[in-house]
Amino acid sequence: MLKKIVLLGPPGSGKGTQARRLAETLGFLHLSTGDMLREEVKQNTELGGKAKRIMEKGDLAPDDLIAAMIESRLGPAGDGFILDGFPRTVAQAEALDKMLSDAGQAIDRAFLVDVSDEEVVQRLLGRARIEGRSDDTLAVITNRLEVYKRQTEPIVKYYSDGNVLTRINGEQQIEHVFADLEAAITR
Ligand code: AMP
């Protein structure tokens, strides 16, 4: 059983849904930096104020701030966890490796939930209509995709070079994506 898991994927890949379900099914900790930031916004904290402006543009929050947020929640990383939306830059991936290696641990597997650009745009526009997320307008969607390509996609190579990357076809039905992930984790 794999226990220390990263879920990677473009915005709209469905990784958040999968991470929540996997964590629930496997009894793992689910850590979503996007959820944490949205909670800060809701609570009107100082961090929330800064995060709101960044999120509305589809840009990324500063690496050190995000890494500290994760570190404070990871605790003794003995039990299973699923990281969702973190790391989003190579610097964050390196910070995560450092946090874990300081505790004699390492990531077991990084799964890339693979979805094409065209499909991502369609899904995000659909979600904008349904959920009214303020970071789902066309301009912001385009920026989020660009930010993903430029800043987050290099992590795919980082984990691939580290021999911990597994690609999952994210264009299947939700149930099938889940089954592929669960099988790979529990095999
Ligand atoms: P998400 O819900 O994962 O799509 O995240 C929503 C927004 O929160 C992103 O577009 C970023 O602005 C911000 N965010 C979430 N996770 C991170 C991260 N690991 N590093 C920097 N910014 C983040």
Side-chain angles (χ1 to χ4, degrees), residues 33-34 37-38 55 59-61 66 85-86 88 92 133 144:
T33 42
L37 292 174
R38 278 184 289 276
M55 291 164 87
D59 290 335
L60 296 185
I66 293 283
F86 174 89
R88 249 182 169 91
Q92 290 180 15
R133 260 179 69 156
R144 287 173 74 202

Side-chain angles (χ1 to χ4, degrees), residues 1 13 19 29 32 40 50 61 83 86 124 148 151 166 181:
M1 168 92 100
S13 60
L29 184 63
S32 156
E40 296 282 343
K50 282 184 206 144
L83 299 178
F86 174 89
L124 290 179
Y148 176 78
Q151 306 201 60
T166 298
L181 284 163

Side-chain angles (χ1 to χ4, degrees), residues 10-12 15-16 32-38 51-63 66-67 69-70 84-89 92 127 133 135 140 144 147 152:
K15 66 182 181 335
S32 156
T33 42
D35 284 354
M36 289 172 203
L37 292 174
R38 278 184 289 276
K52 187 163 189 283
R53 287 190 294 276
I54 293 170
M55 291 164 87
E56 278 174 354
K57 284 191 273 180
D59 290 335
L60 296 185
D63 287 333
I66 293 283
M69 228 166 58
I70 285 285
D84 162 15
F86 174 89
R88 249 182 169 91
T89 63
Q92 290 180 15
R127 186 166 86 188
R133 260 179 69 156
D135 58 353
V140 177
R144 287 173 74 202
V147 167
T152 305

Side-chain angles (χ1 to χ4, degrees), residues 113-186:
V113 181
D114 223 349
V115 176
S116 70
D117 291 355
E118 299 74 39
E119 176 70 15
V120 161
V121 172
Q122 288 314 311
R123 288 186 187 183
L124 290 179
L125 286 174
R127 186 166 86 188
R129 282 191 291 274
I130 294 163
E131 292 180 10
R133 260 179 69 156
S134 59
D135 58 353
D136 274 350
T137 63
L138 184 58
V140 177
I141 287 169
T142 308
N143 187 43
R144 287 173 74 202
L145 261 182
E146 274 170 22
V147 167
Y148 176 78
K149 296 251 172 243
R150 196 172 60 241
Q151 306 201 60
T152 305
E153 220 164 52
I155 303 180
V156 173
K157 182 173 187 311
Y158 178 87
Y159 284 129
S160 166
D161 288 349
N163 290 318
V164 292
L165 186 81
T166 298
R167 284 174 196 269
I168 300 286
N169 176 2
E171 295 201 7
Q172 312 172 84
Q173 287 186 350
I174 292 180
E175 293 303 318
H176 290 150
V177 178
F178 180 78
D180 283 359
L181 284 163
E182 192 187 26
I185 292 168
T186 58

